[in-house]
Amino acid sequence: SDKKERADNITVQLFSDKKKTVEKNHLRVERLSDIVGSFRSVLFCPEHLSLIKDGPAERRNYLDIAISRISQKYIHALQRYNYFLKQRNSLIKSAFRDRATFDATVDLWSERMADEAATVSKMRYEFICRISPLVNQSLCKMTGEKEQTELIYRGSAGLVGEEYLDSEKVKQRYVELLGGSHDREIGAGATLWGIHKDDVEIKLNGKNARIFASQGQQRSLALALKLAEGEVTREEFGDYPVFLFDDVLSELDETRRDSLLLFDTDKQVIISTCEVEALKKINAQRQIRVENGKYTVTASDEGEAEKGE
């Protein structure tokens, strides 16, 4: 990454046994959270349609990544929550053979979870309130104002709207939920309440997009979420992240394609696509064409600059 103050070198090595090593400026990084924000980017690829059409876990993951980019507090609260959740689930699984230990310690883990859950819930709700109009703005631009969207935080505490801003109220609610059905949780073998059950409802023209959105609308919504994420990054840090778009043009009509391709000049965008004709509408600084294992690099002010294999 190249910052105004200095250049940072980040190296990631992946091994066949699925292990990896990460270095920043040639120094080993033990926790990935330590390099969050070192290189600010927003990635969109076809798999991100799962944000709209799949289950709550995909949307929670989107929130976790987006908020973690702008808040270390969120990262730490989420890490602590996940640790407490793991310990509580382990306790639940052992309750059949050691109910006495479960009864003596479960409330301790529940309170710790509830405390972190209140922090995470508040920050998720605040982020949804912040990003929802930005997502709608991007979608309106792509569709010529024909489609509108709204994001609604569906916290597992069962509270409504601004109630999630009251951390003490949220904490007490989770304490009640986690303390009220121990036998049910033991039967299920897992913790049944907490922020790991949260969801975000995405509405398209007033209807649940997960149910009613077409494939093209799903792609537009997922892309709007990513563009809005970039806007939040700019608001926080003063400049846009690098936008990485893989196969972004498929299944978009001409209006949606045009609105995407005609980016403002203050954004750095890298697009991979097989839609060669569509790219003629943009003034790309550099194009890399790959065909039959060979590539050609063309720069806007240099003509054909480089060839290779």
Side-chain angles (χ1 to χ4, degrees):
S1 65
D2 188 10
K3 298 183 179 180
K4 295 179 181 178
E5 304 84 15
R6 67 182 187 279
D8 284 334
N9 183 289
I10 298 174
T11 304
V12 180
Q13 290 183 296
L14 304 176
F15 300 97
S16 57
D17 58 359
K18 296 185 179 181
K19 293 183 179 180
K20 61 178 176 289
T21 61
V22 182
E23 292 183 350
K24 181 176 180 180
N25 297 330
H26 309 295
L27 296 176
R28 183 74 172 266
V29 175
E30 298 298 334
R31 299 181 304 176
L32 289 178
S33 59
D34 292 338
I35 63 169
V36 171
S38 297
F39 174 66
R40 290 188 285 274
S41 64
V42 172
L43 169 67
F44 174 86
C45 57
E47 288 78 10
H48 285 134
L49 268 68
S50 61
L51 288 172
I52 312 302
K53 66 181 183 179
D54 287 353
E58 299 294 335
R59 290 178 286 281
R60 286 196 303 271
N61 188 54
Y62 168 80
L63 285 180
D64 291 341
I65 293 174
I67 304 174
S68 292
R69 286 197 175 111
I70 61 175
S71 174
Q72 285 288 322
K73 178 182 178 182
Y74 184 85
I75 295 175
H76 296 151
L78 185 62
Q79 288 175 333
R80 288 192 296 268
Y81 177 87
N82 287 332
Y83 172 77
F84 297 147
L85 174 62
K86 182 178 179 180
Q87 297 302 313
R88 192 175 187 276
N89 281 341
S90 179
L91 187 66
I92 289 172
K93 289 182 174 70
S94 66
F96 280 113
R97 62 178 181 274
D98 188 0
R99 183 61 186 253
T101 299
F102 174 87
D103 289 338
T105 59
V106 66
D107 289 342
L108 172 64
W109 293 115
S110 296
E111 184 166 357
R112 290 180 174 179
M113 274 183 57
D115 195 35
E116 302 301 339
T119 299
V120 172
S121 294
K122 179 179 179 181
M123 297 184 75
R124 283 179 176 176
Y125 174 75
E126 290 174 336
F127 185 80
I128 289 297
C129 291
R130 179 178 185 179
I131 205 170
S132 181
L134 297 174
V135 177
N136 186 57
Q137 179 180 325
S138 294
L139 185 68
C140 286
K141 184 177 180 182
M142 275 190 277
T143 62
E145 307 288 335
K146 293 180 180 178
E147 294 175 1
Q148 295 191 356
T149 186
E150 179 186 10
L151 275 59
I152 303 172
Y153 178 56
R154 300 299 187 193
S156 59
L159 302 177
V160 178
E162 293 185 356
E163 289 182 301
Y164 282 100
L165 297 177
D166 187 340
S167 296
E168 189 59 33
K169 183 175 185 177
V170 176
K171 177 182 177 179
Q172 291 306 315
R173 175 60 175 159
Y174 276 122
V175 167
E176 292 171 6
L177 289 170
L178 293 169
S181 300
H182 290 160
D183 289 340
R184 183 178 171 188
E185 289 187 309
I186 292 171
T191 299
L192 298 178
W193 290 274
I195 57 168
H196 61 290
K197 298 289 187 178
D198 284 357
D199 196 3
V200 178
E201 183 178 358
I202 302 174
K203 288 187 174 294
L204 178 65
N205 295 334
K207 297 181 179 180
N208 191 324
R210 185 182 180 190
I211 300 173
F212 294 99
S214 67
Q215 186 87 345
Q217 289 172 326
Q218 289 174 3
R219 183 174 291 263
S220 297
L221 282 166
L223 182 55
L225 283 165
K226 291 295 182 174
L227 293 173
E229 187 180 340
E231 290 294 333
V232 170
T233 300
R234 180 189 61 79
E235 292 173 0
E236 287 289 326
F237 301 104
D239 52 14
Y240 282 105
V242 177
F243 290 89
L244 307 172
F245 291 153
D246 177 30
D247 192 24
V248 70
L249 303 177
S250 299
E251 300 179 34
L252 295 181
D253 59 32
E254 187 174 356
T255 300
R256 297 173 202 247
R257 285 187 180 188
D258 288 349
S259 69
L260 175 62
L261 291 173
L262 299 177
F263 261 99
D264 299 331
T265 56
D266 58 347
K267 295 184 179 74
Q268 184 177 354
V269 185
I270 300 174
I271 298 177
S272 65
T273 183
C274 296
E275 308 287 339
V276 179
E277 290 299 315
L279 291 179
K280 293 180 180 179
K281 294 187 176 184
I282 63 175
N283 181 27
Q285 295 298 307
R286 179 170 296 181
Q287 291 189 23
I288 303 174
R289 183 183 180 93
V290 181
E291 189 172 4
N292 298 323
K294 298 181 179 181
Y295 71 86
T296 303
V297 181
T298 303
S300 60
D301 56 350
E302 298 175 5
E304 191 173 287
E306 180 185 343
K307 292 183 178 181
E309 297 184 1

